[in-house]
């Protein structure tokens, strides 16, 4: 009798301690249905963009650059993430009895980071190439912000009650309930309602990784240039994803006893490590451009301007700002002095030369 009572009390304690399953995963607003999964991803994107903008500006970049890139990066990242999920779990959508149209239902969950990051990087590259900005400098600014976005986005899996781990009775287990229709969710076992909260494990891992990368970027800034900080992010994420993936029980393709994402983690980690070593041997060869072509002169004009007005110390001009091709000639006028900003120097598009253009003019 006492043994039965003790076991019952222990079971009740575990049930009370378990993370409760969410009662809803969306909010109806008129004819629209706002899914928490989408809100979690959106929150991650907003936080990442704001933090990246702050880091980029501190590096001497122009405010608004990251926001412009985010439009392309987010759109292509969502496409890439969905494509990877659909391709790697094709049986969920194209097997007999399935509905292929649901491959487009992104709000139901299913984004593969392995597809989102590469295609999102293409979006960044498109804008960076057009403006003449350094991809490695951009990667330095963005690297710590991506795992922070992932840490927030992973909570979308909680609201969808998906991608959970093996059954467990640990106090921090997450409660998973069958679908409202009564059938079990993918990975559930009959009669079992508490599982490893792999969404929480990955969220905490990514949060710690974001803090580590921010600290390492500040502490070892010079040695983590050339895309090495971003490579460090990739390696750190792969390590965490490997053991977290090993706990998951949702349907997945297995190869030689490991899930597909385990093998992907191994291969991506190896590639990131190889790049980390390779880039470390040629740090001086990477571009350091942090402002667009034509603006990296970053000149400040003191004294009379073209219209005879006096420019103040905060006025910044460039060839693209004024639209005049004889800006350098006017620099020879008395009272006009050009001062290149030290934060805006770059190895790309610089106009440095060894000869002055006239008295009172300091060449870049």
């Amino acid at each position: 009798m006492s043994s039965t009572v003790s076991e019952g009390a222990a079971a009740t304690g575990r049930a009370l301690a378990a993370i409760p399953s969410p009662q809803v995963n969306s909010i109806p607003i008129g004819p629209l249905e706002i899914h928490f999964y989408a809100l979690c991803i959106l929150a991650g994107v907003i936080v990442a963009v704001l933090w990246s903008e702050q880091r980029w500006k501190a590096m001497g970049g122009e405010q608004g650059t990251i926001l412009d890139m985010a439009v392309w990066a987010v759109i292509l990242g969502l496409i890439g993430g969905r494509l990877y999920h659909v391709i790697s779990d094709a049986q969920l959508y194209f097997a007999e009895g399935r509905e292929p149209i649901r491959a487009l239902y992104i709000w139901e969950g299913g984004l593969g980071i392995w597809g989102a990051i590469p295609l999102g990087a293409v979006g960044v590259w498109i804008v960076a190439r057009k403006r003449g900005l350094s991809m490695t400098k951009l990667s330095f600014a963005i690297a710590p912000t991506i795992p922070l976005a992932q840490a927030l986005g992973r909570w979308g899996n909680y609201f969808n009650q998906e991608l959970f781990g093996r059954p467990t009775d640990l106090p921090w287990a997450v409660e998973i309930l069958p679908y409202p229709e009564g059938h079990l969710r993918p990975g559930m076992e009959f009669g079992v309602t508490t599982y490893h909260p792999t969404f929480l494990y990955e969220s905490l891992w990514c949060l710690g990784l974001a803090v580590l990368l921010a600290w390492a970027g500040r502490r070892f800034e010079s040695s983590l240039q050339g895309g090495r900080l971003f490579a460090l992010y990739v390696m750190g994420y792969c390590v965490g994803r490997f053991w977290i993936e090993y706990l998951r029980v949702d349907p997945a393709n297995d190869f030689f006893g490991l899930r597909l994402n385990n093998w992907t983690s191994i291969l991506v980690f190896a590639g990131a490590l190889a790049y980390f070593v390779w880039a470390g041997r040629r740090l001086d060869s990477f571009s350091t451009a942090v402002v667009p072509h034509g603006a990296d002169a970053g000149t400040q004009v003191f004294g009379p301007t073209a219209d005879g007005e006096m420019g103040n110390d905060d006025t910044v001009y460039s060839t693209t700002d004024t639209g005049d091709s004889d800006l350098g000639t006017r620099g020879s006028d008395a009272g006009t002095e050009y001062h290149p900003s030290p934060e805006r120097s770059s190895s790309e598009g610089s106009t440095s030369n060894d000869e002055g253009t006239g008295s009172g003019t300091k060449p870049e």
Side-chain angles (χ1 to χ4, degrees):
M1 177 70 71
S2 61
S3 175
T4 303
V5 171
S6 298
E7 291 176 1
T12 302
R14 287 195 297 269
L16 291 175
I19 302 172
S21 59
Q23 299 302 309
V24 295
N25 66 354
S26 62
I27 302 176
I29 301 180
L32 300 177
E33 186 108 10
I34 308 299
H35 290 260
F36 292 148
Y37 181 85
L39 292 179
C40 290
I41 294 176
L42 180 61
V45 169
I46 292 174
V47 170
V49 169
L50 292 177
W51 191 15
S52 296
E53 281 279 16
Q54 183 183 34
R55 288 174 57 83
W56 183 245
K57 185 178 179 181
M59 293 167 60
E62 294 185 338
Q63 190 170 3
T65 299
I66 300 296
L67 182 60
D68 293 341
M69 292 181 173
V71 176
W72 284 93
V74 170
I75 293 174
L76 292 179
L78 289 174
I79 294 174
R82 190 60 176 178
L83 282 175
Y84 179 87
H85 167 72
V86 172
I87 293 173
S88 61
D89 292 305
Q91 72 278 0
L92 300 178
Y93 305 98
F94 305 108
E96 185 177 355
R98 297 286 184 170
E99 303 176 67
I101 188 64
R102 301 190 84 86
L104 302 177
Y105 294 178
I106 192 172
W107 55 87
E108 293 184 349
L111 288 174
I113 193 67
W114 311 114
I117 294 298
L119 215 56
V122 171
V124 174
W125 177 82
I126 290 173
V127 179
R129 181 174 175 81
K130 182 178 180 181
R131 299 189 181 186
L133 299 174
S134 167
M135 275 293 290
T136 57
K137 283 290 187 181
L138 284 164
S139 72
F140 188 92
I142 296 172
T145 72
I146 296 180
L148 180 58
Q150 291 175 262
L152 296 174
R154 269 302 173 193
W155 282 84
N157 300 138
Y158 166 69
F159 288 105
N160 280 356
Q161 298 192 56
E162 61 183 3
L163 307 186
F164 44 86
R166 302 170 187 169
T168 182
D169 59 359
L170 290 170
W172 56 83
V174 62
E175 181 186 19
I176 301 296
L177 300 179
Y179 286 112
E181 299 82 7
H183 55 277
L184 299 180
R185 298 178 186 272
M188 285 189 70
E189 296 182 12
F190 182 77
V192 179
T193 58
T194 56
Y195 299 83
H196 277 285
T198 48
F199 80 92
L200 179 60
Y201 297 162
E202 186 166 336
S203 180
L204 293 175
W205 181 272
C206 288
L207 184 61
L209 184 58
V211 173
L212 175 64
L213 291 172
W215 171 82
R218 181 181 295 271
R219 177 67 176 80
F220 307 103
E221 181 177 358
S222 60
S223 60
L224 290 177
Q225 297 295 325
R228 300 184 88 206
L229 186 65
F230 194 87
L232 197 61
Y233 149 68
V234 174
M235 288 188 285
Y237 177 74
C238 287
V239 171
R241 182 60 182 269
F242 183 89
W243 69 267
I244 293 170
E245 189 74 24
Y246 194 72
L247 289 174
R248 281 170 45 174
V249 293
D250 52 293
N253 296 313
D254 292 347
F255 300 95
F256 303 105
L258 290 177
R259 293 161 63 95
L260 173 61
N261 285 331
N262 285 118
W263 289 111
T264 304
S265 297
I266 294 173
L267 293 176
V268 174
F269 178 90
L273 178 60
Y275 178 86
F276 186 85
V277 174
W278 173 80
R281 297 174 178 174
R282 58 195 311 268
L283 288 177
D284 295 337
S285 64
F286 293 99
S287 168
T288 59
V290 294
V291 290
H293 283 314
D296 58 342
T299 54
Q300 288 186 316
V301 180
F302 302 92
T305 63
D307 299 324
E309 300 176 352
M310 294 296 294
N312 59 45
D313 291 357
D314 296 325
T315 305
V316 178
Y317 296 87
S318 72
T319 54
T320 56
D321 294 327
T322 62
D324 289 319
S325 60
D326 61 340
L327 180 62
T329 304
R330 289 198 307 273
S332 60
D333 296 339
T336 303
E337 186 177 4
Y338 290 77
H339 298 275
S341 170
E343 294 294 334
R344 294 177 175 246
S345 62
S346 73
S347 62
E348 289 185 2
S350 63
T351 56
S352 301
N353 53 57
D354 297 328
E355 296 179 2
T357 56
S359 60
T361 303
K362 182 178 180 181
E364 294 183 47

